[in-house]
């Protein structure tokens, strides 16, 4: 980094610190005490929440999301109730009191048990605050280890490609216990987004992320049984026998907890951030590699977009179910343990040969995913957006940012190869298997599965930024995104905010070009022309059977009918989606 770049970065940090001081005064605050009963798959907790009314009207009611209680439409229709399902997590409210005078408050539940409504005793005027204290308890399901194997992940992707199966993210995907690890991605009541004077209460399951929160400050104490290691979205600030571990985090949109016996970690410091890799002992080699990639990614993105406000960024493995290769939370990114594969270890001999042959693909995919997830700390974390309404905003920027990591780390040639394989490749295969080109700026509910989502939202969206980078040049697009980042830090951005940032100060012809680029990639359905049309020759080479019988998850025989499928197909099927 040259002297001029260092000066710019220093000035940017000063600006951020000044903005942080002002914004922190108006952020919500959570003080949470949680006790984990690890072996009984349960926990209890109390939280004191300070809410700031940033609207223009007084409010006498608060709404909290109970994310673990989210069920898909099929689950609700099958049960015709919201009774406890042992295959899903559950979050129950024990008591709600005023944080001012300890008086019990009236509460009720809406939206099939996913929304907690609290009636306040007095209205809260704009700019004022109130506090409530909520006691809660929760449980998580035990996930069958067979649902989390690499073979099952690959079979799931093959099924999505061949039969266009419908997928829905479930609460159990991020709140569970499996293989001695517990992930609590959304374990506590969290304030619904208060947009102006409107509460964004509705939760809608889809193939995309369903967690959508405002930035807030957290202080969390966690007590766990002896021998259970605990990692979170925050930084550890204290430890005692009575209160366990205490963690804190500022301006984060959620507070995830990862606990387990046998978890290890290694860390390094980059630009004042504690960068950490969390892994099982048998995956130490892969975990160390993930740490190196994460650290390098933070260096690249900090120089390009500006520094993060977070003190800790972690890359962790956890046994995620097939269909979910990774998930991101503020400060804590999770990758399915299935992809933490040490191909030199004796244990991999049990994998199907056709997967063993894809070693370069699996290892490349892990590096790509680490960079992609780290980029989400800028896009989706520091700068928020609604993942249900505009998933393209964070997904496309994070995917494109990953390409910048490769270019900075390995050079133009490697970046170009990754662009063809990781980005254009998924669209090419999707169209070859009969998937329709679609608008890329639709709500997440409009996409059937992760295969379609990756081909349309992530790939086409990222390619729009590749096109804009080519047209505007590095200096202009990077400056525009730094301005977008700074203007929307801690806020919830919309697509129009991005358009404004890219067009600001540009001559009229360039503004028109930016508008045409947005239209071409997001709504014009010209993917075949701009990326690749369905490949008839590839389809013939693949020899895909016209109909596939239902296959058991993890059944190695599921690969039999596709054993002669081409290398390109299997490279794509072993990617982390």
């Amino acid at each position: 980094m040259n002297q001029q770049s260092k000066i710019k970065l220093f000035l940017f940090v000063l600006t951020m610190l000044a903005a942080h001081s002002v914004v922190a005064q108006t952020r919500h605050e959570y003080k949470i005490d949680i006790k984990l009963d690890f072996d009984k798959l349960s926990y209890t907790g109390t939280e004191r929440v300070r809410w700031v009314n940033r609207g223009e009207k007084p409010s006498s009611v608060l709404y909290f999301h109970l994310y673990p209680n989210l069920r898909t439409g099929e689950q609700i229709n099958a049960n015709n109730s919201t009774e406890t399902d042992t295959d899903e997590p559950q979050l129950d409210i024990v008591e709600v009191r005023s944080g001012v005078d300890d008086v019990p408050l009236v509460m009720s539940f809406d939206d099939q048990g996913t929304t907690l409504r609290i009636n306040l005793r007095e209205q809260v005027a704009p700019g004022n605050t109130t506090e409530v204290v909520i006691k809660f308890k929760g449980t998580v399901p035990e996930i069958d280890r067979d649902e989390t194997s690499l073979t099952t992940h690959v079979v799931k992707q093959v099924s999505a490609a061949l039969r266009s199966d419908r997928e829905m993210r479930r609460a159990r995907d991020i709140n569970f216990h499996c293989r001695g690890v517990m992930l609590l991605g959304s374990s506590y009541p969290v304030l619904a987004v208060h947009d102006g004077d409107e509460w964004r209460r509705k939760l809608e399951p889809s193939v995309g992320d369903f967690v959508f929160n405002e930035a807030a400050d957290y202080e969390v104490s966690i007590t766990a049984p002896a021998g259970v290691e605990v990692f979170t979205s925050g930084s550890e600030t204290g430890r005692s026998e009575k209160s366990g571990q205490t963690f804190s985090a500022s301006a984060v949109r959620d507070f995830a907890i990862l606990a387990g016996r046998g978890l290890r970690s290694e860390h390094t410091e980059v630009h004042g951030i504690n960068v950490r890799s969390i892994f099982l002992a048998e995956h130490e080699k892969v975990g160390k590699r993930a740490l190196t990639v994460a650290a390098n990614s933070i260096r690249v993105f900090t120089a390009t977009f500006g520094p993060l406000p977070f003190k800790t960024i972690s890359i962790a493995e956890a046994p995620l179910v097939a269909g979910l290769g990774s998930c991101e939370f503020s400060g804590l990114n999770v990758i399915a343990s299935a992809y933490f594969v040490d191909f030199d270890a004796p244990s991999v001999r049990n994998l199907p040969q056709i997967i063993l042959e894809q070693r370069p693909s699996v290892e490349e995919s892990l590096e790509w995913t680490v960079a992609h997830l780290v980029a989400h700390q800028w896009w989706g974390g520091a700068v928020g957006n609604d993942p249900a309404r505009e998933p393209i905003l964070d997904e496309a920027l994070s995917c494109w940012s990953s390409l910048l990591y490769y270019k900075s780390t390995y050079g133009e040639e490697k970046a170009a190869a990754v662009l063809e394989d990781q980005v254009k490749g998924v669209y090419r295969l999707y169209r070859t298997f009969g998937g329709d080109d679609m608008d890329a700026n639709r709500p997440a509910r409009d996409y059937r599965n992760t295969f379609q989502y990756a081909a349309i939202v992530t790939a086409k969206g990222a390619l729009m930024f590749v096109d804009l980078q080519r047209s505007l040049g590095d200096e202009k697009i990077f400056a525009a995104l730094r301005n977008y980042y700074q203007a929307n830090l801690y806020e919830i951005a919309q697509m129009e905010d991005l358009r404004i940032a890219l067009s600001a100060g540009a001559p009229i012809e360039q503004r028109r070009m930016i508008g045409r680029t947005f239209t071409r990639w997001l709504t014009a359905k010209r993917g075949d022309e701009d990326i690749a049309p369905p490949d008839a020759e590839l389809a013939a080479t693949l020899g895909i059977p016209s109909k596939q019988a239902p296959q058991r998850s993890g059944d190695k025989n599921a690969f039999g009918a596709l054993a002669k499928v081409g290398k390109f197909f299997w490279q794509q099927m072993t990617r982390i989606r």
Side-chain angles (χ1 to χ4, degrees), residues 514-552:
I514 291 170
R516 290 193 298 269
T517 303
F518 268 70
T519 299
R520 185 180 187 98
W521 286 101
L522 302 187
T523 61
K525 301 179 186 178
R526 300 178 72 170
D528 289 5
E529 180 181 347
D530 293 335
I531 307 172
D535 191 331
E537 182 178 352
L538 174 62
T541 302
L542 294 176
I544 301 298
S546 59
K547 292 184 179 180
Q548 289 286 310
Q551 299 161 348
R552 284 192 300 113

Side-chain angles (χ1 to χ4, degrees), residues 151 343 348-359 556 559 563 570 574:
T151 301
F343 283 92
V348 302
R349 297 171 185 169
N350 296 323
L351 289 174
Q353 183 62 32
I354 205 160
I355 293 180
L356 292 174
E357 292 171 358
Q358 305 310 315
R359 174 176 181 169
K556 296 178 184 178
F559 297 98
W570 287 113
T574 50

Side-chain angles (χ1 to χ4, degrees), residues 40-301:
K40 292 186 178 179
L41 315 183
S42 64
Y43 58 92
T44 56
T46 301
E47 67 178 19
R48 175 180 287 269
V49 182
R50 182 180 75 106
W51 178 71
V52 183
N53 185 356
R54 295 199 291 264
E56 297 179 353
K57 299 178 181 179
S59 180
S60 59
V61 63
L62 300 181
Y63 291 97
F64 286 77
H65 289 310
L66 307 179
Y67 285 116
N69 299 345
L70 180 65
R71 304 292 183 263
T72 66
E74 291 180 356
Q75 289 175 297
I76 294 172
N77 293 334
N79 296 330
N80 197 29
S81 71
T82 56
E83 293 180 3
T84 302
D85 181 352
T86 57
D87 195 39
E88 292 285 349
Q90 182 71 28
L91 178 59
D92 295 318
I93 305 303
V94 178
E95 181 183 58
V96 177
R97 290 181 174 270
S98 167
V100 179
D101 53 17
D102 200 37
V103 173
L105 297 177
V106 176
M107 66 176 180
S108 58
F109 301 95
D110 299 324
D111 309 314
Q112 289 83 44
T114 63
T115 302
L116 167 66
R117 174 186 173 123
I118 299 177
N119 295 322
L120 302 174
R121 298 179 68 221
E122 296 180 355
Q123 288 192 331
V124 182
N128 286 1
T129 67
T130 190
E131 292 189 4
V132 295
V133 177
I134 305 173
K135 290 185 179 180
F136 58 91
K137 61 181 181 179
T139 59
V140 296
E142 180 74 43
I143 302 294
D144 188 332
R145 60 191 299 121
D146 287 343
E147 291 188 59
T148 68
S149 71
L150 180 57
T151 301
T152 311
H153 274 267
V154 175
V155 169
K156 185 81 171 181
Q157 293 210 53
V158 170
S159 177
L162 294 180
R163 298 199 295 269
S164 190
D165 287 352
R166 183 78 179 181
E167 296 176 10
M168 289 281 189
R169 294 276 74 84
R170 295 166 59 181
R172 75 194 289 264
D173 293 348
I174 59 172
N175 298 278
F176 64 83
H177 180 278
C178 181
R179 296 175 182 251
V181 173
M182 179 183 287
L183 176 63
L184 299 175
S186 55
S187 58
Y188 57 94
V190 60
L191 285 161
V193 171
H194 194 226
D195 185 7
D197 290 302
E198 174 193 359
W199 290 93
R200 301 277 289 276
R201 295 167 42 185
K202 186 177 181 181
L203 295 180
E204 191 169 15
S206 71
V207 68
D209 298 330
F210 55 79
V211 176
F212 174 44
N213 305 322
E214 295 181 79
D217 297 336
Y218 284 81
E219 183 179 304
V220 182
S221 296
I222 302 173
T223 304
V228 174
E229 296 293 330
V230 177
F231 302 92
T232 74
S233 292
S235 302
E236 185 173 349
T237 57
R239 183 181 295 223
S240 68
E241 291 186 11
K242 182 179 179 181
S243 59
Q245 296 168 260
T246 300
F247 304 87
S248 65
S250 298
V252 295
R253 298 184 186 275
D254 39 46
F255 198 92
I257 300 169
L258 182 69
R261 296 186 174 95
L263 289 175
R264 296 185 179 180
S265 68
E266 296 215 2
H267 68 96
T268 187
E269 185 170 306
V270 178
H271 294 306
I273 297 174
N274 180 30
V275 187
R276 185 171 57 186
S277 178
I278 304 164
F279 48 85
L280 293 170
E282 60 266 30
H283 297 154
E284 181 177 3
K285 179 180 176 182
V286 185
K288 289 183 175 180
R289 179 167 172 258
L291 177 62
T292 299
V293 176
N296 289 338
S297 299
I298 288 175
R299 293 187 183 97
V300 172
F301 301 150

